[in-house]
Amino acid sequence: MSLIGGIRPPIAVLSVLLLSLAGITALVLGRVDNAGVPKAVMTSQQHFAEDGAIALRASIDESVTDLTRSAALFSAGEPVSGDAVLDKLGSTYQKWVGTAVVEVRSGKLVAARGETVPLTSLNSSALGDEGGLAPRMVTLKNGEVRLLSLALLSWPGKPQLLLAASSTLKFPGISIGQFRSIAVVDGRGAILSSDGIEQPEQVRTSLDRKEIAASNKQLADFARRAARAAEQDPRSSKEPGAGGYQGVSGSLVGGRLLSDRSVAGYATLAAAQPGEATTATGLGLSVVSMVKIADDPTRTTSPVFGLLAGSALLLIGGVAVAVLLGTVQRPLIRLFLESRRLTRGDLTRPVTVPRYGEAHRIGHALERLRRQLLGEPADATGSPARPRGLRRVGTRALLVICAVLLLAWAAPLMLLLNRADGTAVVPQQLVNDQRERTDTLSDRVRRALNEGEADLQSVASLIGNKTAAADMDKVLTRTYDESRRYRSLYVVDSTGEVLAREGKEPRLVKSKRAAGTSIRLLGHGGKEPVVVGTAEIPGRDGAALVGEFRVEFLNALLTRPGLGVVRLVDGRGQVIAGNTGFLAFQSLPDDHLKDLVAATGQKLGKRARAGGVLYREGGVRIAAAAPFAGSGPAESLGWSVVSWQRADRLAIPEYEEQNRTVLAGLLGAAAAAACLGWLHIVVARPLRSLADRAESLAGGERKAVLFPQHHDEVGAVTRSLELIRQQLQDQRRQQPPRTPSDRQYIRN
């Protein structure tokens, strides 16, 4: 017998699968969750910390890049004074709390703006070494930490100058909402800067002071735990192939205070692409975000449903297996034994004929063949016996009955039971996180556009009176290579004629080079939006530097896990960019999102507010919208960032229970389909064919040779029938030829 064929293996496998599934169903569907914090909330805090780490890393890298590029552009032009350099930087960028220009050889302070730059820790003799100009963190006397960025200003025949800028380790544009704290942590777990934390002496009541002190203590504990977690390799911090954030990130659960529980997310500063290293990633910093959520320890999952479902599967599966054993396996094995008995020459006992279907037909054919082996002619042993009534039920019908039994258990689990659309409780924290993260994303896009416009202003001022195409091409090439945000950079005169170009073919037509806002959206009605930044070149009679932003650059800014579908829309609600496929200038998919964008676009006081909603039409969904709010030319565009996602894709207890229920039903249906289909292929179909051939053989057909298809019970019966056919042929040859008188005797 074959180990993988025959009647026994599929039934045995089906029994094992059903028994295992019953146990898993009872354990998984009846699992009690006493954590008190849904997994979706934990994951959301991890994503929030990742957003903060991305914003901080981009801010640090952009600050260093802007300072270095500005110094290089200044050095490429005519010598200017230190005050002129700082004035130009101050009018173009507003990101540093203090700037200074120092003569490298003598250490003399040439010019300074803003907060005093901490230069006492610098070694001027090491500035020319490799890494001597690398940014560094400096601790002030009051305990605050500043990030010091350095660049050199060099002109032929002039003393070399050091351009230094200090900035705080604050999060640019992070919307933290209420009851949330966010901090920057070094490799030892010390908090370097924080937002959203009140000092105990700033509140009045002693109860509030105790609560704030406890929160600060919890945040410090989270910072130490996050620093320890940040020491591991990013590749080993997540499942293989999980993708997502390139650095180390995760979530932490703290203790319970009154009815609240502290939950935190942490993330190390990491580059956007795997294997890359940036200035910020070399500082060894991490971001920790902490929020308090309402703890509900009474919210558990009852084990009753899982136990009932597992017990029902045991009962139904037992009936199905019993049907297969009693009506398919046992009759087939009996046929196998009876056929072997006949081939051995034991013809004394009649063949035990099964009661149902093909087995009954084969058993009756074996009985006729037994009588023929005893000498009776084929026409004297009777005709094929067709079972009647319930006995006509064949193997295929029995398999269908078993399939119906198993589907009667699996189908309700897949389609009816534990539906969560009407009963799921979506934590309010998820709605808050969707709103705050969308607001952060909106600010990130606005700042990126402002940074691009500031770069254009800086480059335009340095082009100045350079009228030679080679000189302008040199500046444009350097800027284009250093920045990934532009698809094309070009200089146009007052008539719109292109004087110098770097990158792809310009899309800005002459008629649209008229003065207006420095950032504009063109291409309405086309296949791709055209976002254009313009900076007037001083002293060139209307000449301007134009930069066209890449749509892929905007799409990359909107790509963040855990936010679902994200779209950047203009003032008319038409899509400009997104994190998934979209059509340019298409409208938002439903009226809820359009109303949300319209509502958040209305200014409350001095700035518009982000909004988040939860609605249940067409399935439970979380949506948020955040308009551009803040300073810079991008605010006047009136754009908004919109995000939405289905709640059933989040790790909410009710939806997790629904998913596990559907999975149990799918596993049950798959087990039934696999094993019963296996039986149909190796047993039912060959057995039906064998019944026809056995009846034909019993009816007198001796020429057709019977070949077994498989080495199993059906094949064994086929081989036995072939041996019986050969015995009947030998018996016919050994009989003497009949005379006419013998035929007349037999006829009478």
Side-chain angles (χ1 to χ4, degrees), residues 583-599:
L583 294 177
F585 301 108
Q586 69 177 356
S587 299
L588 291 172
D590 60 58
D591 293 335
H592 291 284
L593 298 175
K594 297 177 183 177
D595 295 340
L596 182 60
V597 172

Side-chain angles (χ1 to χ4, degrees), residues 658-737:
Q658 172 181 309
N659 294 338
R660 288 196 293 264
T661 303
V662 173
L663 179 60
L666 289 174
L667 291 176
C675 295
L676 296 180
W678 186 1
L679 278 171
H680 180 264
I681 292 173
V682 302
V683 176
R685 196 163 57 184
L687 194 63
R688 186 177 182 87
S689 175
L690 180 60
D692 295 334
R693 297 163 71 185
E695 290 177 343
S696 177
L697 177 62
E701 173 61 45
R702 301 289 189 264
K703 295 182 179 180
V705 179
L706 284 77
F707 292 101
Q709 296 180 353
H710 305 286
H711 296 284
D712 54 11
E713 292 87 356
V714 179
V717 176
T718 304
R719 286 194 299 271
S720 298
L721 289 174
E722 171 61 20
L723 293 176
I724 293 174
R725 184 189 70 84
Q726 296 175 7
Q727 292 176 12
L728 290 173
Q729 283 186 331
D730 294 341
Q731 186 183 59
R732 184 175 181 179
R733 293 192 199 100
Q734 295 173 3
Q735 290 179 354

Side-chain angles (χ1 to χ4, degrees), residues 10 13 108 199 216 222 304 356 450 459 495 503 539 629 650 683 702:
V13 171
K108 176 184 176 182
Q199 298 301 322
N216 293 341
F222 282 142
V304 175
Y356 301 101
N450 287 343
V459 175
T495 63
L650 302 175
V683 176
R702 301 289 189 264

